[in-house]
Amino acid sequence: MLWSDVGNPYARAISLGCYALAAALAVSEILILALALHPNVHPDYRAYYIDRTTTCLNRDTVGIYSLGQTVSFRSDGARRASGMKVCGWSGPAADGTHSLGETSRLRLQIPPLRDGLKATLQMAAVVRPPQMTQRVIISVHGVSVHKVTLSGKQPMTVSFFIPHAAFSNASTFEMTFDYLDGIPPSKAASSIYKRSIKLVSFRLDAV
């Protein structure tokens, strides 16, 4: 119906309302499409679910820890270690906590310090022929502090120094493990896909 054909003011108002409703629906559909293409979500959510730039979805947790304490990541230390595990870890087992994905993180609360720390970790490689070694890069708040190559199924004790500058400006202590040689997918290794290490124990000492 043409606007000029609408002589009745009441009919003209109804017609105008229909046009306005159609325009509002069109705008809402455009907004929904825009949100679908560019959703306004938390950066952690976007990185994990949308952009897929990480396999480690951040969990808002901070573990309680006392310097000089050795925390078991086997089944016997499940309760104490649980709060420290941010992402990239499976549940604990008798041989340790297995990593999942390309990155794992630990986060814990430590007292203010004036100097650095010594870290002592027990770790073992997840091996599957022909993959018999696992390269691990360990960083603290984005600062690389140690690189190690694990081989064999037996746990290996790894000790390294963490400079105070790596964590001095942070409210919590966060350690990241990046894996370069995760088990690739295969029919024979589907149950351990993307696993790299088993973390057996964790300890920090002031130096």
Side-chain angles (χ1 to χ4, degrees):
M1 179 184 292
L2 297 176
W3 182 259
S4 59
D5 295 334
V6 183
N8 190 320
Y10 180 72
R12 184 178 298 176
I14 293 177
S15 179
L16 184 61
C18 290
Y19 283 125
L21 179 61
L25 289 174
V27 170
S28 64
E29 289 181 1
I30 292 173
L31 290 175
I32 292 171
L33 179 60
L35 286 173
L37 295 175
H38 304 284
N40 183 20
V41 296
H42 192 278
D44 292 334
Y45 182 97
R46 174 179 289 279
Y48 186 83
Y49 286 108
I50 300 174
D51 298 335
R52 297 188 182 277
T53 55
T54 182
T55 60
C56 196
L57 179 61
N58 184 58
R59 186 167 73 100
D60 187 16
T61 182
V62 180
I64 298 173
Y65 180 77
S66 298
L67 293 178
Q69 175 187 55
T70 298
V71 177
S72 172
F73 276 74
R74 292 188 170 101
S75 300
D76 59 355
R79 180 176 297 181
R80 184 175 294 177
S82 176
M84 298 170 57
K85 296 189 294 184
V86 178
C87 57
W89 305 104
S90 67
D95 59 352
T97 295
H98 290 232
S99 65
L100 290 175
E102 299 168 356
T103 302
S104 301
R105 276 189 282 164
L106 299 174
R107 186 184 296 135
L108 50 143
Q109 193 72 50
I110 59 173
L113 298 171
R114 297 172 58 184
D115 298 305
L117 291 165
K118 177 186 177 183
T120 304
L121 312 177
Q122 267 199 321
M123 300 186 293
V126 175
V127 298
R128 187 82 183 188
Q131 186 64 54
M132 301 303 294
T133 61
Q134 291 289 344
R135 292 174 295 166
V136 185
I137 300 175
I138 303 173
S139 58
V140 173
H141 293 285
V143 178
S144 178
V145 293
H146 193 70
K147 298 178 182 179
V148 62
T149 299
L150 303 174
S151 60
K153 297 183 178 181
Q154 294 303 312
M156 174 180 173
T157 299
V158 179
S159 295
F160 52 92
F161 175 72
I162 303 171
H164 184 252
F167 57 89
S168 60
N169 295 324
S171 58
T172 57
F173 180 91
E174 186 164 301
M175 180 177 286
T176 302
F177 302 75
D178 288 309
Y179 313 113
L180 306 181
D181 307 303
I183 302 296
S186 71
K187 291 182 179 179
S190 59
S191 63
I192 58 173
Y193 171 48
K194 285 293 184 181
R195 301 201 181 193
S196 300
I197 70 164
K198 292 171 282 188
L199 180 60
V200 181
S201 67
F202 174 93
R203 179 186 176 110
L204 292 176
D205 290 283
V207 295

